[in-house]
DNA sequence: GTAAACCTTGTAGCAACTACAGCTTCAAGC
DNA sequence: GCTTGAAGCTGTAGTTGCTACAAGGTTTAC
């Protein structure tokens, strides 16, 4: 059932999943995609299943799931009879991270807003922005930023 | 005026700015911190000015400013006579990024929340989470996620 | 039959650190 | 003055998730 219809080139696959051939090869290398069938000349050829799988991966990455999480999700979706507790756990964990990040980012926005509005446009000497960055004490929201790191 | 009071070791400096010695050496290497005075045996010794500078850097990084932005901010704060227009521009630009990111992250949270709540806890086969990730059509908020990339 | 467009592998680069390994120096106690 | 253990040194490699070459080989359309 999988011998026929392997006619999609890597470029077409990439286009259909909205990414680049390099990314596809990368996913193959790290084992997210299975090794593709090859033409006599050694080029990769894919079927529709690969399009679905890659689309899943890209979409999950878009959602902010780490590659390791995607790997787990794929493993689970490969076993449809299994209970989806673990799937739920991964998604819930991810949701928690997103929420915490959202809180910190939102505090950061307030601080930046405050900084920008308070800066009178004078000399650096009296610039609130530099002051706020220099002096943590001036922060309204303590322990609230720390914000540009990756989600798990 | 800067020959005296160079008595802080790299470890102490790192502790006082809440980072690691490796990070300090890294900042020196990329030119965010000036080369430190050395003891006869070659160890780095710092003064209070270094503590302030490193604290500024860490704080700005914490705020989500990229190292390149921090570099610009440092260059500006080193020249107190300069107008703070540029500082303001960087902060405003940053604010814009934070806001756009906040929107995307917030949409992402909704999607994840929806996924998690709709998951009935049955088999993977019928798992809403897997379904939503598989099928872009099922997304409520189009083009809204894509969320874990760095702020400029 | 040829040319363009595509594909191949392998390697190096990005950000912003972090983590060794293998050695040297410093500071404190005795 | 000596020992000992913590801390410091350099240099290099690893992290994450790709992206971008270089130097060739293959396909396909005309």
């Amino acid at each position: 059932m999988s011998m026929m219809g392997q006619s999609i080139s890597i470029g077409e696959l990439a286009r259909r999943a909205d990414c680049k051939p390099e990314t596809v090869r990368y996913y193959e290398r790290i084992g997210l995609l299975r090794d593709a069938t090859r033409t006599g000349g050694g080029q990769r050829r894919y079927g529709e299943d690969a399009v679905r799988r890659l689309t899943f991966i890209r979409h999950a990455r878009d959602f902010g799931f780490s590659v390791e999480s995607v790997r787990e999700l794929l493993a689970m979706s490969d076993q449809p009879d299994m209970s989806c507790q673990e799937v739920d756990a991964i998604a819930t964990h991810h949701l928690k991270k997103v929420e915490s990040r959202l809180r910190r980012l939102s505090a950061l926005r307030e601080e930046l807003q405050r900084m920008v509005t308070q800066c009178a446009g004078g000399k650096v000497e009296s610039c609130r922005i530099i002051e706020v960055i220099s002096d943590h004490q001036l922060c309204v929201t303590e322990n609230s930023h720390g914000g540009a790191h990756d989600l798990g």
Side-chain angles (χ1 to χ4, degrees), chain A:
Chain A
M1 81 264 202
S2 54
M3 279 296 99
M4 69 206 327
Q6 302 288 115
S7 56
I8 303 169
S9 72
I10 194 171
E12 196 186 332
L13 173 64
R15 252 190 315 281
R16 288 181 56 180
D18 195 29
C19 65
K20 301 185 178 178
E22 284 93 339
T23 310
V24 177
R25 283 190 282 260
Y26 171 70
Y27 288 158
E28 183 186 297
R29 213 167 61 233
I30 65 170
L32 283 194
L33 291 175
R34 296 160 197 131
D35 288 9
T37 350
R38 303 287 186 129
T39 61
Q43 300 196 356
R44 291 169 180 82
R45 289 294 181 270
Y46 301 90
E48 291 297 328
D49 52 338
V51 178
R52 276 193 299 277
R53 194 177 176 92
L54 181 56
T55 304
F56 180 94
I57 296 169
R58 290 308 303 165
H59 202 181
R61 294 283 306 119
D62 237 29
F63 266 121
F65 287 97
S66 72
V67 163
E68 279 323 297
S69 295
V70 176
R71 200 189 292 281
E72 291 175 53
L73 289 169
L74 277 171
M76 288 183 253
S77 71
D78 282 346
Q79 309 216 335
D81 279 346
M82 186 183 182
S83 142
C84 72
Q85 265 190 1
E86 265 187 89
V87 176
D88 190 274
I90 292 177
T92 302
H93 173 79
H94 189 59
L95 175 59
K96 289 252 152 45
K97 288 215 166 190
V98 168
E99 281 174 342
S100 126
R101 181 165 204 159
L102 212 49
R103 276 193 299 276
R104 287 184 295 129
L105 213 52
S106 158
L108 169 54
R109 185 196 48 198
E110 302 214 341
E111 206 61 57
L112 281 168
Q113 252 163 1
R114 212 168 57 86
M115 272 162 56
V116 170
T117 6
Q118 286 186 2
C119 176
K123 296 280 170 75
V124 168
E125 222 166 359
S126 59
C127 182
R128 286 291 294 175
I129 295 170
I130 296 279
E131 270 177 57
V132 171
I133 298 175
S134 296
D135 191 357
H136 201 94
Q137 303 290 94
L138 295 173
C139 277
V140 170
T141 42
E142 200 72 20
N143 280 335
S144 53
H145 37 69
H149 315 297
D150 257 354
L151 300 160

